[in-house]
Amino acid sequence: MKRKGILFIVSAPSGSGKTTLCNKLVDSLKGLNRSISMTTRPPRPGERDGIDYIFIEKEEFLKRKKKNEFLEWAKVFDEYYGTPKKYIKHLVTKGQDVVLNIDVQGTMKIRRAKSVNSVCIFVLPPSMSELQGRLRDRSTDTKKEIAKRIRIAKKEVSYLPRYDYVVINNVLDSALENLRSIVIAERCRIERR
Ligand code: 5GP
């Protein structure tokens, strides 16, 4: 019984630990691939071009956007982020599933388009104060930047009712187990066959 691939969209406030979670999720299940977004933001220390993101100039991004090369795109924290369409379509046609780590604006765009099978998951930090602490510990952002990220996080959480699932990232292993369960169950749905 063949089926088309599913897009597992994971959104979370910045600093919720979703990157680690998504990477572990992809590594733990067969047939699950990670989408690599393009962004105009500069790489953070330790981030690798073509692995964490594809880092491009704003001019190049806008050119690609005009050519309709993105499945979705959004402006987050004054930088552009987009999901390259071609690679995703290729995987989904082959029955491969893809994990997209994108913000709420991008998720709503994919939801509205209805052209692809998607499952939307929201990852929450245990609390806002915990999130603040995690952003501070990461020490890649300035105080002003952290305050801005917290403001945006509160706005993002208001989109929670439009998602299919919520996972609280308190203990990494249990959050991962919840994510894995969602993927496994969604793959078994009869309507997808
Ligand atoms: P960061 O700069 O912290 O890596 O990511 C900032 C925000 O942009 C996060 O919420 C992340 O999920 C989101 N993001 C990353 N890639 C994409 C993308 O391709 N599309 C959209 N809409 N958001 C993205």
Side-chain angles (χ1 to χ4, degrees), residues 137-183:
D137 292 347
R138 191 160 78 175
S139 65
T140 49
D141 304 308
T142 60
K143 254 189 183 167
K144 204 172 144 200
E145 189 71 22
I146 293 175
K148 191 171 156 194
R149 282 177 188 258
I150 293 287
R151 239 183 6 255
I152 291 174
K154 288 186 177 158
K155 209 165 132 197
E156 283 181 327
V157 172
S158 69
Y159 281 82
L160 189 67
R162 304 208 210 167
Y163 281 68
D164 302 306
Y165 295 95
V166 64
V167 170
I168 315 264
N169 189 12
N170 193 358
V171 178
L172 184 74
D173 283 349
S174 14
L176 177 62
E177 204 43 44
N178 284 351
L179 276 180
R180 281 170 48 86
S181 309
I182 295 167
V183 173

Side-chain angles (χ1 to χ4, degrees), residues 1-8 31-33 88-100 115-119 183 186-187 192-193:
M1 280 202 282
K2 271 197 174 166
R3 66 162 176 86
K4 267 193 159 185
I6 309 164
L7 299 190
F8 289 96
L32 203 53
N33 305 268
I88 306 260
K89 292 257 165 174
H90 168 75
L91 288 171
V92 167
T93 312
K94 285 199 310 182
Q96 289 277 311
D97 300 327
V98 190
V99 174
L100 269 68
S115 56
V116 280
N117 268 331
S118 65
V119 174
V183 173
E186 286 289 339
R187 282 176 167 176
R192 301 206 187 281
R193 304 268 163 191

Side-chain angles (χ1 to χ4, degrees), residues 54-108:
I54 298 163
F55 297 98
I56 58 174
E57 295 297 324
K58 186 175 165 192
E59 205 172 286
E60 169 79 16
F61 190 98
L62 296 177
K63 224 176 359 184
R64 287 175 182 267
K65 178 165 92 65
K66 208 170 165 190
K67 287 205 281 187
N68 201 20
E69 287 185 18
F70 296 116
L71 182 67
E72 63 71 38
W73 65 273
K75 205 172 176 189
V76 190
F77 312 122
D78 300 325
E79 300 286 358
Y80 288 96
Y81 294 81
T83 305
K85 196 191 293 184
K86 213 169 153 188
Y87 177 59
I88 306 260
K89 292 257 165 174
H90 168 75
L91 288 171
V92 167
T93 312
K94 285 199 310 182
Q96 289 277 311
D97 300 327
V98 190
V99 174
L100 269 68
N101 184 335
I102 65 175
D103 84 321
V104 293
Q105 307 170 64
T107 308
M108 294 306 122

